[in-house]
Amino acid sequence: MKKFYLLLTIVFIIGCEKDNLETPSELSAKKTTFENLPADLQAQFQRNELNIGELKGNTKIKIKANYPINFGVNNKNKRNYTFQLEMERSKSKQQNLYFENLVINETSDGYEYIIIRYEPDWEKFNSSMSMENYVGNISFYNINKEKLYDFSVSNDVKSSNTVCYLKIVSTFCTGSVYAEYGYSCSNQYTVRCTSGSNGNNNDNSWENGDGYNEDTYTGGDSGDDSGSGEGINYEERNPDTVYTNPNFQEPEEIVYEIENNIEDPCAALIFSQLQLMSMDYELPPNTSNPDGFGDDLEFSNAILNIFNESQKYKYIVEEDPTLSVNQSGTTGPGMVYIEQEDKYEITTRFNPYYFQQATDLSIARTVIHESVHAYLLYSVSDQPMGNIRLALTAYIEDNGMSNQVNNLLHHNFMAQFVDAIAYNLWIWDLNFGNGGNLGWLYYKDLAWGGLSSYTDNQRNLLFYQEYLDHTTPNERTRIEKTIQDEANNSSDSSQSGNKNDCQ
Amino acid sequence: MKQIIRAIQVKAGIKMIASSLCLLFLSCGLILSQETLKVNDAYDIINKENYGDDVLYYKTISYSSLSGNQERFNYEFINEHNFKRNWVLETTRYVNFDTIFNVNQRLEISEKFKKLISLKIEPSKLNNPKSLSKEKTGKFYQTENLEGFINLTYPIIQEGLNGKFYGFIYIEYYSEGILFIFEKSKSGWREFAKVPIWIS
């Protein structure tokens, strides 16, 4: 029977994804997938690694598997593609040092490659999660990681589009590249580039003497001749020229109906990071994962896309100091109808005292957990004949839960999402947390948080049936300890009792 | 003669005062008995749930303490989001309360929610007097030795168009909060509908 639920949900998810990929809004966002790249371009990769003859020695360029690939077309009808590269981190501070894009420009002779490295002022960057006010360095490298030039960006970047949590940085200084980090949304802004050091390339135009030039860039392509087959000709750049894209079309405004009203800076950031992760709409790598992931990782797609789905309704996250001590977060089942907006809103409230006490990893877990509640509630309400509702109905009938309101139904049904929650925790930890080195078992133990036990009206500690069915007594002891260690930031937690950087 | 008339007047006055006092006491008694009945009804509703020792917080929830959930405590929300048994199996609301309450009664329900105050629960009126706790202890995810984790509102009672009485009580359990609507019948209060408020 569980296979049935699995199948129903997978069918639902696949159905949704197909729709997403075909909608015009996706095209206007200039986003594609690896499978949709031209065959000759695909052939340049072996798995997620660039594998071309120009590479020297041990140079490795690994793109992020399953992340969206941006593309633009210039006025010569040449395309450019931007991939996200895997990030490197500081070992000491567990902080990202930089993030990089691989940009491949189509030319009449084939392709040319450039790597753009972004080294933001992380303190400012983390607080906004946006390129709107990007401050930091941007460097350009050739395919063998030899620096071409770099420059710094002060806080003069202005965005005309403030609706998205965007991390788009583009080619304001180079031409036909379109760089994106994380989110998909076309953007337009003006940037001032200070001349800065120029690395190995002394003849580029950014040494303009007077400090900066100003360049207007529109997402997709700069529209100049640099993609015409002659490559990027930095010499042609005039510091006083304002570059605009003649092909630019005002993108469809993507309004994400999510209100992040969390006041705790760390928790707000974690929510934003998970929101960014949700844009990975591809199914995660399946099956033969050496880390021993389960078969049901496809469910993670549903979880990741909670935030995407929330474009169809309003999802509000906020803090509520009146929550009981045992409640780290609650989600309102009944969606409140907002007549003025003709929308329903669903709200998750988090306990601010929990935010103060818990580790970042525990907070991420709780955010995901509550989001799954929101997703189930939304799915049942929005798609009364949808597969989620069918799966829940079958589950209720099989388990005699017809008189249950939420607790037993939700938390038993959600047990099938444990691997997916764990997978998302691992991805979050890998990209934003401790480096993803805690081991699969640790993430999976933590994923049981909220799905393991509850207290009944007689003050009896009771385990959810699915939890009992899927764990042994020894495992339960370990799991409970892990959950509590992280919730209370004990010395055995991932933060070893230390406060995180945001506090 | 004047003395006789005065005596009669005094007697009449005494009678009037006595009659007035009697009327006053009678009406007061009636009011008191009605209040007692309401209180008894309220505790009958509270006692529909079984509470173990030390699980029930000793004060009821006020409207202001409902905080972010306040928007769910009004007639319109209840009318739209009520279920008989299960929110998944039932694709539409269980009952259209417009058929049960007239316009004034609907307004009264919303007003009564807004007037909810925090009251001390009378232990002697509970089926389990030991269920009350003044403590709210426990750490996050510490499920053992939790005390006072169940919270509830003082029941609201409203008469409907059909002359029947309905009771509204919101109860916060360990992992979910539910607003129950009870209906009074000859055999007592029975669960009529429910509105899920939150899950954690």
Side-chain angles (χ1 to χ4, degrees):
Chain A
M1 198 62 195
K2 282 170 188 165
K3 293 284 180 192
F4 174 66
Y5 307 136
L6 185 68
L7 183 65
L8 282 177
T9 311
I10 291 170
V11 167
F12 168 75
I13 291 162
I14 291 172
C16 282
E17 293 320 312
K18 189 174 275 185
D19 288 345
N20 282 344
L21 289 171
E22 289 175 352
T23 56
S25 62
E26 289 293 320
L27 290 174
S28 71
K30 299 183 185 302
K31 186 166 65 177
T32 187
T33 62
F34 189 84
E35 290 72 23
N36 290 324
L37 294 177
D40 62 331
L41 192 55
Q42 283 190 38
Q44 298 183 32
F45 291 87
Q46 188 168 17
R47 296 178 68 85
N48 67 330
E49 200 170 311
L50 192 64
N51 184 28
I52 56 175
E54 291 93 322
L55 285 169
K56 295 177 186 172
N58 295 322
T59 307
K60 289 187 183 302
I61 298 171
K62 290 184 178 179
I63 60 171
K64 279 190 172 182
N66 303 309
Y67 269 64
I69 299 163
N70 292 288
F71 72 92
V73 183
N74 68 12
N75 56 357
K76 303 287 185 182
N77 206 28
K78 299 293 183 186
R79 291 193 167 208
N80 58 77
Y81 303 88
T82 301
F83 305 78
Q84 292 182 57
L85 296 183
E86 291 192 354
M87 288 188 284
E88 293 188 21
R89 314 170 146 270
S90 153
K91 290 179 182 173
S92 58
K93 293 188 72 177
Q94 298 177 340
Q95 171 69 288
N96 300 324
L97 288 173
Y98 52 79
F99 57 90
E100 290 179 327
N101 293 160
L102 167 66
V103 180
I104 301 181
N105 291 314
E106 185 184 20
T107 71
S108 54
D109 299 327
Y111 294 103
E112 63 180 14
Y113 309 84
I114 193 166
I115 292 170
I116 307 177
R117 175 179 294 182
Y118 302 95
E119 298 169 273
D121 178 328
W122 283 101
E123 190 176 340
K124 292 176 180 169
F125 192 69
N126 280 340
S127 65
S128 66
M129 295 297 291
S130 167
M131 293 303 293
E132 184 185 354
N133 294 301
Y134 180 87
V135 176
N137 296 323
I138 301 177
S139 313
F140 292 78
Y141 294 82
N142 66 20
I143 203 69
N144 287 303
K145 298 282 184 81
E146 295 163 345
K147 187 185 282 186
L148 301 174
Y149 61 93
D150 63 9
F151 57 89
S152 64
V153 178
S154 61
N155 58 359
D156 287 320
V157 181
K158 303 292 182 191
S159 171
S160 63
N161 181 351
T162 59
V163 296
C164 305
Y165 285 99
L166 288 184
K167 288 186 175 179
I168 293 181
V169 166
S170 68
T171 63
F172 26 92
C173 299
T174 62
S176 58
V177 288
Y178 176 68
E180 177 180 335
Y181 172 63
Y183 230 39
S184 167
C185 184
S186 295
N187 203 3
Q188 180 177 17
Y189 51 85
T190 303
V191 60
R192 288 183 169 188
C193 302
T194 56
S195 55
S197 64
N198 66 335
N200 296 330
N201 186 353
N202 290 323
D203 59 357
N204 73 72
S205 63
W206 305 111
E207 288 187 277
N208 52 41
D210 59 0
Y212 65 85
N213 72 353
E214 194 166 63
D215 184 357
T216 299
Y217 175 74
T218 55
D221 184 69
S222 69
D224 63 9
D225 291 329
S226 59
S228 65
E230 298 170 8
I232 298 173
N233 185 351
Y234 306 115
E235 295 272 346
E236 292 177 359
R237 301 289 180 152
N238 182 334
D240 298 325
T241 302
V242 174
Y243 295 99
T244 56
N245 181 358
N247 294 335
F248 176 72
Q249 294 177 338
E250 193 67 35
E252 283 183 25
E253 188 179 47
I254 302 173
V255 179
Y256 295 93
E257 290 292 346
I258 299 173
E259 270 186 37
N260 182 350
N261 297 329
I262 298 172
E263 293 175 10
D264 183 286
C266 264
L269 177 61
I270 291 166
F271 184 88
S272 297
Q273 290 164 341
L274 289 165
Q275 197 177 334
L276 284 169
M277 279 169 53
S278 75
M279 288 307 292
D280 181 2
Y281 57 77
E282 287 298 294
L283 293 176
N286 201 5
T287 61
S288 59
N289 193 307
D291 293 320
F293 296 154
D295 294 332
D296 60 348
L297 280 183
E298 289 87 350
F299 281 120
S300 68
N301 186 242
I303 294 170
L304 286 168
N305 274 301
I306 287 163
F307 301 115
N308 297 345
E309 292 287 343
S310 71
Q311 292 175 46
K312 302 173 188 172
Y313 69 122
K314 197 165 185 174
Y315 186 40
I316 300 170
V317 289
E318 59 191 25
E319 294 177 17
D320 185 351
T322 67
L323 292 183
S324 298
V325 71
N326 58 301
Q327 297 166 352
S328 49
T330 69
T331 298
M335 296 184 201
V336 177
Y337 180 65
I338 309 299
E339 192 170 359
Q340 297 89 330
E341 301 180 32
D342 191 25
K343 284 190 174 76
Y344 284 90
E345 67 177 28
I346 188 163
T347 306
T348 290
R349 297 185 176 84
F350 295 100
N351 193 321
Y353 305 109
Y354 163 75
F355 283 157
Q356 290 170 17
Q357 185 172 305
T359 64
D360 286 3
L361 193 60
S362 183
I363 291 172
R365 183 212 64 75
T366 300
V367 168
I368 295 171
H369 177 98
E370 293 304 323
S371 302
V372 177
H373 282 310
Y375 178 71
L376 292 179
L377 295 163
Y378 163 72
S379 299
V380 168
S381 173
D382 189 62
Q383 295 138 13
M385 301 308 291
N387 287 307
I388 289 288
R389 187 171 207 137
L390 289 177
L392 274 165
T393 302
Y395 190 87
I396 289 166
E397 289 171 354
D398 284 359
N399 294 279
M401 291 183 165
S402 58
N403 207 30
Q404 295 298 325
V405 181
N406 275 311
N407 173 32
L408 291 179
L409 174 58
H410 266 242
H411 292 128
N412 278 301
F413 185 79
M414 280 166 62
Q416 63 191 298
F417 292 82
V418 162
D419 276 351
I421 294 171
Y423 179 81
N424 283 287
L425 276 175
W426 173 62
I427 293 291
W428 177 85
D429 198 36
L430 180 69
N431 285 287
F432 305 106
N434 300 296
N437 301 318
L438 298 171
W440 172 248
L441 204 56
Y442 198 84
Y443 300 110
K444 186 163 180 176
D445 285 355
L446 196 55
W448 280 109
L451 305 176
S452 59
S453 61
Y454 67 102
T455 303
D456 73 0
N457 290 359
Q458 309 304 314
R459 222 151 52 111
N460 297 314
L461 177 67
L462 300 176
F463 293 111
Y464 294 109
Q465 191 57 48
E466 294 288 353
Y467 179 63
L468 285 174
D469 292 347
H470 289 87
T471 55
T472 65
N474 285 342
E475 286 172 336
R476 289 197 281 276
T477 303
R478 188 193 66 228
I479 289 168
E480 293 302 320
K481 182 177 186 311
T482 301
I483 292 168
Q484 291 198 28
D485 282 344
E486 292 294 325
N488 299 306
N489 192 7
S490 77
S491 56
D492 289 339
S493 75
S494 58
Q495 289 179 201
S496 306
N498 298 316
K499 296 288 185 186
N500 55 26
D501 293 337
C502 295
Q503 291 180 330
Chain B
M1 188 62 184
K2 282 183 181 176
Q3 284 179 338
I4 293 169
I5 293 169
R6 265 188 199 163
I8 292 168
Q9 284 175 335
V10 168
K11 273 188 178 178
I14 290 169
K15 276 185 180 175
M16 277 182 69
I17 292 167
S19 302
S20 301
L21 285 173
C22 279
L23 276 171
L24 186 65
F25 284 132
L26 276 172
S27 61
C28 282
L30 193 63
I31 291 166
L32 282 173
S33 66
Q34 282 178 347
E35 285 304 312
T36 306
L37 274 175
K38 279 186 184 175
V39 171
N40 288 342
D41 277 331
Y43 276 91
D44 284 346
I45 292 170
I46 291 173
N47 281 317
K48 294 299 289 182
E49 192 70 80
N50 294 318
Y51 310 101
D53 292 355
D54 302 319
V55 298
L56 185 58
Y57 192 58
Y58 78 112
K59 284 182 179 176
T60 60
I61 307 170
S62 66
Y63 182 73
S64 60
S65 298
L66 291 169
S67 191
N69 285 320
Q70 277 181 351
E71 57 200 0
R72 291 169 170 81
F73 289 87
N74 58 67
Y75 174 81
E76 288 74 23
F77 187 84
I78 294 166
N79 194 30
E80 191 177 346
H81 291 93
N82 64 81
F83 301 96
K84 175 63 180 172
R85 299 168 72 193
N86 189 288
W87 64 284
V88 176
L89 299 180
E90 298 164 49
T91 53
T92 57
R93 66 180 172 183
Y94 170 58
V95 60
N96 179 2
F97 279 109
D98 287 355
T99 62
I100 293 178
F101 300 110
N102 64 29
V103 174
N104 285 338
Q105 290 165 336
R106 295 170 208 165
L107 290 172
E108 280 179 43
I109 290 169
S110 293
E111 282 304 307
K112 285 175 180 175
F113 275 119
K114 286 181 182 172
K115 288 177 181 172
L116 279 173
I117 56 172
S118 181
L119 296 168
K120 285 185 181 176
I121 300 171
E122 176 56 54
S124 64
K125 293 185 181 300
L126 295 176
N127 288 343
N128 177 11
K130 293 180 181 177
S131 60
L132 293 185
S133 168
K134 290 189 177 182
E135 302 296 327
K136 279 188 174 181
T137 57
K139 289 183 176 181
F140 294 106
Y141 292 99
Q142 183 179 338
T143 48
E144 295 169 349
N145 302 319
L146 269 181
E147 290 184 12
F149 66 90
I150 298 179
N151 290 271
L152 48 79
T153 57
Y154 192 80
I156 286 170
I157 295 168
Q158 177 65 49
E159 188 175 5
L161 282 169
N162 52 9
K164 286 186 176 178
F165 285 89
Y166 295 86
F168 299 76
I169 184 171
Y170 165 60
I171 306 179
E172 292 184 340
Y173 301 95
Y174 180 81
S175 291
E176 61 187 329
I178 304 167
L179 173 66
F180 292 95
I181 298 109
F182 289 90
E183 184 184 61
K184 193 173 187 182
S185 65
K186 288 179 182 175
S187 57
W189 292 95
R190 66 176 184 87
E191 190 181 303
F192 183 64
K194 49 197 173 190
V195 180
I197 301 296
W198 57 262
I199 185 165
S200 70

